[in-house]
Amino acid sequence: DMETAVVEYEDTVKEYFMKLVPPNDHKFAALHGAVWSGGSFVYVPKGIAVDIPLQSYFRLNSPGTGQFEHTLIIVEEGAHLHFIEGCSAPKHSVINLHAGCVELYVKENASLRYSTIENWSRNMMNLNTKRAVVEKNGRIEWVSGSFGSKVSMLYPMSILKGEGATSEFTGITFAGRGQNLDTGTKVVHAAPHTSSTIHSKSISKDGGVATYRGLISITPKAHHSKSTVSCESLMLDQYSKSDTIPVMDVRNDRVDLGHEAKIGRISEEAIFYLMSRGISEEEAKAIIVRGFVEPITKELPLEYAVEMNHLINLELEGS
C-alpha cells in the first residue's frame, strides 16, 4: 500500500510520485495531490516476469465522501506485469467523488497490462486520472470496463517516449438512465516507429449518454508511427445517446493513421430470430450485448470475465 511505500521506499516514491500527473495538471489533480490516501505501489525489478496477475480492490463506503487513492507502478527494463484493479461503491442518497490517480512507468523492453473493472453506484462522480510513459520497445495495454457512476470523465493516457514503444487500449462503457459516461483514451507518439491500437465499445439504454472522447497526437519527430482507432456504439432504445469525438493531431506526413466509428441500434431481426428459437426477449438482448463486448471479456482473467457478464446482466435489468 502507498502509506507503507512512502516510509519503506521513500527514495523510489519521491523519484516518481506525481511526476507524470503533476498537481498543476488540472484542479482535481491538485486536490488529489493535497489529500490523497490509500492506493497501491508496485515495483518490478529488471528482468522479472510476474506470472500471476496482481490485484487490488478499492471500495468507497461512506456517504458524501471523496476517494483519492494513488497507484504507482514501475516496471523496470525487460520486466513484465499484469495488474488488475477493481473499484465499487454502495448506493447512497448523496453525491460521492472519486478522484484517484494512476501513474505507470514502463521501461525499455518491459510490458504492463493494466486492467480495471469499475462498478460504481449511480451517485458517484468518477473523475480519475491515469497516465503511462513507455520507453524504447516497451508496451502498455489498458483493459477498461466502466459501469455505474452518475458522471465519468476518464481518459487513460499513454506517452510513447521511446522508439518502438506500443500502446493498446480496449474499453467498454455501459450508460443507463441518468448516466453520462464520457470516456476514451489519449496517446502521444513522441518517438519514431511507435504504434497504438484503440478498440472502444459503448452501450447505452434508458436515455443514458455514452461518449468516446479521444486524442491521437503524433509529434514531428515520431516518423513511421502507426495508429488505429475503432469505436463501436450500441444503443438499446430510441431515448439513448452516443457520440464519438476523436481528435487527430498529426505533425509529420510519414505516418499510418486510421479511424472508424460505428453507431447503431440493436437489431430487431436478431432479437426476433433468437425469440423464434424459444429464447425470451430479455435473454435475446443479453446474448447480443454479451457478443458485442466479447472482445473485452476475452482479455480478462476468467473470474473477471464472469463478473463483467454478470454486471452487464444487472445493467440490462436496470438493477
Side-chain angles (χ1 to χ4, degrees), residues 197-264:
T197 306
I198 297 167
H199 298 288
S200 174
K201 290 176 177 275
S202 68
I203 304 163
S204 51
K205 70 182 285 276
D206 294 338
V209 178
T211 303
Y212 169 82
R213 192 186 304 272
L215 167 68
I216 300 294
S217 175
I218 301 181
T219 63
K221 62 182 178 180
H223 55 83
H224 296 95
S225 292
K226 297 181 179 180
S227 182
T228 303
V229 183
S230 173
C231 305
E232 294 182 73
S233 301
L234 184 65
M235 290 178 284
L236 304 187
D237 53 50
Q238 67 269 36
Y239 309 109
S240 301
K241 182 178 178 181
S242 184
D243 288 308
T244 302
I245 309 172
V247 175
M248 308 290 185
D249 183 1
V250 183
R251 300 301 175 100
N252 79 78
D253 57 5
R254 290 179 291 171
V255 300
D256 186 345
L257 179 62
H259 173 260
E260 65 168 319
K262 292 188 286 186
I263 297 179

Side-chain angles (χ1 to χ4, degrees), residues 5-318:
V6 297
V7 176
E8 296 188 7
Y9 303 97
E10 178 185 350
D11 292 341
T12 304
V13 173
K14 188 178 291 186
E15 181 181 352
Y16 294 100
F17 184 80
M18 295 205 79
K19 297 297 192 295
L20 260 183
V21 184
N24 61 357
D25 201 72
H26 54 82
K27 64 181 179 181
F28 291 103
L31 175 63
H32 173 92
V35 303
W36 75 272
S37 66
S40 304
F41 173 73
V42 181
Y43 179 85
V44 186
K46 181 179 179 179
I48 297 295
V50 183
D51 296 326
I52 299 173
L54 302 183
Q55 304 181 45
S56 69
Y57 172 63
F58 301 108
R59 181 175 172 88
L60 200 162
N61 275 326
S62 303
T65 57
Q67 181 169 302
F68 306 94
E69 85 282 357
H70 194 98
T71 298
L72 177 60
I73 300 177
I74 303 146
V75 185
E76 290 286 6
E77 182 180 341
H80 305 282
L81 171 68
H82 183 191
F83 187 84
I84 305 173
E85 183 180 84
C87 306
S88 68
K91 186 176 182 180
H92 297 297
S93 58
V94 294
I95 293 294
N96 283 3
L97 171 65
H98 177 234
C101 182
V102 174
E103 296 182 296
L104 311 176
Y105 295 86
V106 183
K107 300 302 179 70
E108 187 173 333
N109 295 312
S111 68
L112 170 61
R113 171 174 284 200
Y114 187 90
S115 303
T116 309
I117 301 296
E118 297 184 343
N119 178 33
W120 301 112
S121 57
R122 297 293 173 87
N123 60 305
M124 178 67 73
M125 305 290 285
N126 182 28
L127 308 173
N128 214 351
T129 306
K130 301 182 179 184
R131 200 163 292 168
V133 62
V134 188
E135 304 287 350
K136 183 178 180 180
N137 295 323
R139 180 176 179 84
I140 179 70
E141 298 177 56
W142 302 91
V143 180
S144 176
S146 295
F147 299 85
S149 81
K150 180 180 179 66
V151 172
S152 277
M153 300 183 78
L154 179 59
Y155 322 99
M157 182 179 190
S158 302
I159 302 169
L160 305 181
K161 183 180 177 182
E163 183 173 355
T166 61
S167 169
E168 183 171 333
F169 176 87
T170 306
I172 178 72
T173 58
F174 198 128
R177 180 179 300 165
Q179 290 181 271
N180 187 340
L181 304 187
D182 196 312
T183 62
T185 186
K186 305 175 188 177
V187 183
V188 177
H189 293 256
H193 301 282
T194 50
S195 63
S196 62
T197 306
I198 297 167
H199 298 288
S200 174
K201 290 176 177 275
S202 68
I203 304 163
S204 51
K205 70 182 285 276
D206 294 338
V209 178
T211 303
Y212 169 82
R213 192 186 304 272
L215 167 68
I216 300 294
S217 175
I218 301 181
T219 63
K221 62 182 178 180
H223 55 83
H224 296 95
S225 292
K226 297 181 179 180
S227 182
T228 303
V229 183
S230 173
C231 305
E232 294 182 73
S233 301
L234 184 65
M235 290 178 284
L236 304 187
D237 53 50
Q238 67 269 36
Y239 309 109
S240 301
K241 182 178 178 181
S242 184
D243 288 308
T244 302
I245 309 172
V247 175
M248 308 290 185
D249 183 1
V250 183
R251 300 301 175 100
N252 79 78
D253 57 5
R254 290 179 291 171
V255 300
D256 186 345
L257 179 62
H259 173 260
E260 65 168 319
K262 292 188 286 186
I263 297 179
R265 288 275 305 277
I266 194 166
S267 169
E268 299 291 342
E269 291 82 3
I271 294 172
F272 179 78
Y273 174 81
L274 291 170
M275 291 177 68
S276 72
R277 295 295 186 266
I279 297 171
S280 68
E281 182 177 356
E282 288 75 16
E283 180 57 23
K285 287 183 178 180
I287 288 172
I288 293 169
V289 170
R290 284 197 293 269
F292 180 73
V293 303
E294 189 264 344
I296 286 87
T297 54
K298 75 179 183 181
E299 297 294 335
L300 296 168
L302 179 60
E303 65 271 26
Y304 279 83
V306 170
E307 184 68 20
M308 197 166 94
N309 280 329
H310 184 54
L311 287 174
I312 288 169
N313 289 336
L314 290 173
E315 290 283 359
L316 288 168
E317 295 168 6

